[in-house]
Amino acid sequence: MPPDPAVELDWSLGSHAARLADWDAAVRTARSISGSGPKVSHAERTAMREQLTGHVERAESLVAECTGITVGGFRSRAWVMGRGDWTRQNLKGLQRAIEPLARRISERRPTTQGEKHTVARKALGMQVGALLGYVSRRVLGQVDMFLPPDDDGLIYFIGPNLVDVERAFSLSPEDFRLWVAIHEVTHRVQFSGAPWLRAELMRMVDAYLRSVSLETKELMEQLGRAIEELRPGGNAPGGILRLLTPEQRELFHRTQAMMSLLEGHASYVMNVVAKDVVGDLPALQAALSRRRAVGGLEKRVQRAIGFDQKVAQYDAGERFVAQVVERIGMPGFNLVWSEPGNMPRPGEIEEPDRWIARVVG
């Protein structure tokens, strides 16, 4: 029997992640769920690109003045994209992130492309695509931590989603887009002010992926613990924690504390700076709050994928930053960027005085 070309030719260029899932199926699934968004004319798209380019440049100065941190390296640049573009970029980042786990799986799996493996690849691709398809309808902007070094400074803005919010809540595009740009530029400033931050986040991702067991017995024990904790009287920590090992739970809590800090700091700076540069800030804040307040099936979807946790991170982290700055000023708060050990530990986000006592003394 002649060799199967699908087996003999490696179109993934050596990437194990590229062979782990059917990424074309992911793109197709995401497209079917995300939709294209509101109709925007060519002239409106051109004007948005020009406007956000200017907003990002202005936001860099405003954020630097507020935080005392300047951006180094490549200048920040706006990339106004559609939902499909955002999905494809995040799929690339996901493949880079899971490459170590994909390699482990590949080493344990036979090299032949059986029907069972083909179905599994397609199923995984569709699951990932469904998740990203939904998120692509919600996200407004993003600093992609998985970009290669040559693309450092790119900031994503999802044009259809910006327009959708502006039209739904009758917002000023000029003010709303500047407000969002300040938030995303603040994330860029964080990575510039703490050069170790990107590597630390990647280390956490790698640590989690290394902890994922490929043994069926261990996986079943993990599911058994989840079922036990769900029983009446069980000590269930809730949500995704039910499916994590003790080692993974500790890592999860540390990661949550860091993400709360990053999201909360961006929200804090976004609102402090905006008081002097945008009109009717309360209207912008009210619109975003109403957009987040979903119900019914969508609320269950958000809870299932952890999207509601991101909203909670914004709120808890912003309170932490505001209280620390109030007590010891922005220079004191900026000690958080000095080294990984100065990042808030689990529990300190809710009790800023503990962080101040540990880091500042």
Side-chain angles (χ1 to χ4, degrees):
M1 176 181 293
D4 183 349
V7 176
E8 294 299 312
L9 295 179
D10 179 12
W11 294 104
S12 66
L13 301 180
S15 167
H16 295 280
R19 300 193 295 266
L20 181 63
D22 186 335
W23 301 106
D24 289 335
V27 171
R28 290 193 299 271
T29 304
R31 186 185 301 122
S32 68
I33 292 175
S34 68
S36 58
K39 292 187 179 300
V40 181
S41 69
H42 177 72
E44 288 175 313
R45 288 196 298 271
T46 301
M48 178 183 288
R49 284 194 293 269
E50 294 176 351
Q51 189 179 56
L52 281 167
T53 296
H55 283 340
V56 165
E57 183 176 348
R58 184 184 180 194
E60 273 200 358
S61 298
L62 292 169
V63 172
E65 183 179 351
C66 176
T67 64
I69 304 172
T70 56
V71 171
F74 295 105
R75 64 180 178 84
S76 298
R77 301 164 331 268
W79 180 359
V80 182
M81 55 175 56
R83 292 171 179 173
D85 296 322
W86 181 88
T87 297
R88 283 186 287 273
Q89 286 300 115
N90 277 269
L91 281 172
K92 291 178 183 177
L94 177 62
Q95 289 182 59
R96 286 191 287 270
I98 67 172
E99 180 66 17
L101 176 61
R103 183 181 298 110
R104 290 173 57 204
I105 293 173
S106 177
E107 289 169 352
R108 295 172 57 90
R109 176 180 289 159
T111 57
T112 56
Q113 291 265 29
E115 180 180 352
K116 183 178 180 180
H117 176 48
T118 301
V119 171
R121 288 184 70 250
K122 186 174 290 292
L124 181 57
M126 293 175 66
Q127 289 171 355
V128 172
L131 171 62
L132 288 179
Y134 173 76
V135 176
S136 73
R137 299 166 61 105
R138 306 295 303 179
V139 67
L140 300 173
Q142 179 190 7
V143 172
D144 188 350
M145 63 171 283
F146 297 114
L147 280 175
D150 287 349
D151 289 331
D152 184 38
L154 279 179
I155 300 177
Y156 304 157
F157 293 94
I158 296 74
N161 296 350
L162 293 171
V163 171
D164 191 36
V165 175
E166 292 160 3
R167 292 178 181 176
F169 299 103
S170 301
L171 302 178
S172 159
E174 175 75 21
D175 287 338
F176 183 62
R177 294 169 192 177
L178 176 58
W179 194 47
V180 174
I182 293 168
H183 184 277
E184 298 309 324
V185 167
T186 302
H187 280 312
R188 175 86 204 287
V189 165
Q190 291 166 352
F191 285 101
S192 182
W196 50 265
L197 183 57
R198 192 182 304 270
E200 183 69 8
L201 284 168
M202 286 303 301
R203 189 188 66 77
M204 288 182 170
V205 171
D206 290 343
Y208 171 75
L209 294 177
R210 286 196 304 270
S211 73
V212 174
S213 173
L214 304 183
E215 298 294 337
T216 304
K217 181 176 181 294
E218 288 187 32
L219 180 60
M220 293 307 295
E221 289 176 352
Q222 198 167 330
L223 292 174
R225 285 194 298 271
I227 295 171
E228 184 64 30
E229 290 174 339
L230 284 170
R231 290 178 180 172
N235 187 28
I240 191 174
L241 295 185
R242 298 186 186 116
L243 297 178
L244 300 180
T245 66
E247 175 190 0
Q248 290 168 343
R249 288 182 186 178
E250 180 183 357
L251 184 60
F252 176 83
H253 286 306
R254 287 168 47 213
T255 305
Q256 286 288 91
M258 179 178 286
M259 296 309 298
S260 290
L261 183 281
L262 299 181
E263 295 293 355
H265 178 249
S267 292
Y268 172 84
V269 173
M270 168 192 193
N271 289 317
V272 168
V273 171
K275 289 177 183 178
D276 298 324
V277 298
V278 304
D280 203 357
L281 177 59
L284 300 181
Q285 293 170 324
L288 210 56
S289 178
R290 287 167 58 192
R291 183 174 184 258
R292 291 174 179 171
V294 300
L297 175 61
E298 187 168 5
K299 186 173 184 178
R300 291 196 293 273
V301 169
Q302 289 194 3
R303 187 173 298 160
I305 66 176
F307 206 81
D308 58 331
Q309 292 296 317
K310 186 173 180 66
V311 175
Q313 286 173 358
Y314 277 71
D315 297 338
E318 187 172 2
R319 285 192 298 270
F320 171 85
V321 176
Q323 292 174 26
V324 171
V325 172
E326 181 182 2
R327 287 166 173 75
I328 61 175
M330 186 62 76
F333 169 81
N334 281 343
L335 290 172
V336 78
W337 311 119
S338 299
E339 58 177 279
N342 284 1
M343 275 281 152
R345 295 173 179 173
E348 290 180 343
I349 287 289
E350 293 75 20
E351 299 182 50
D353 287 336
R354 287 175 54 190
W355 180 84
I356 294 174
R358 179 175 64 84
V359 174
V360 183

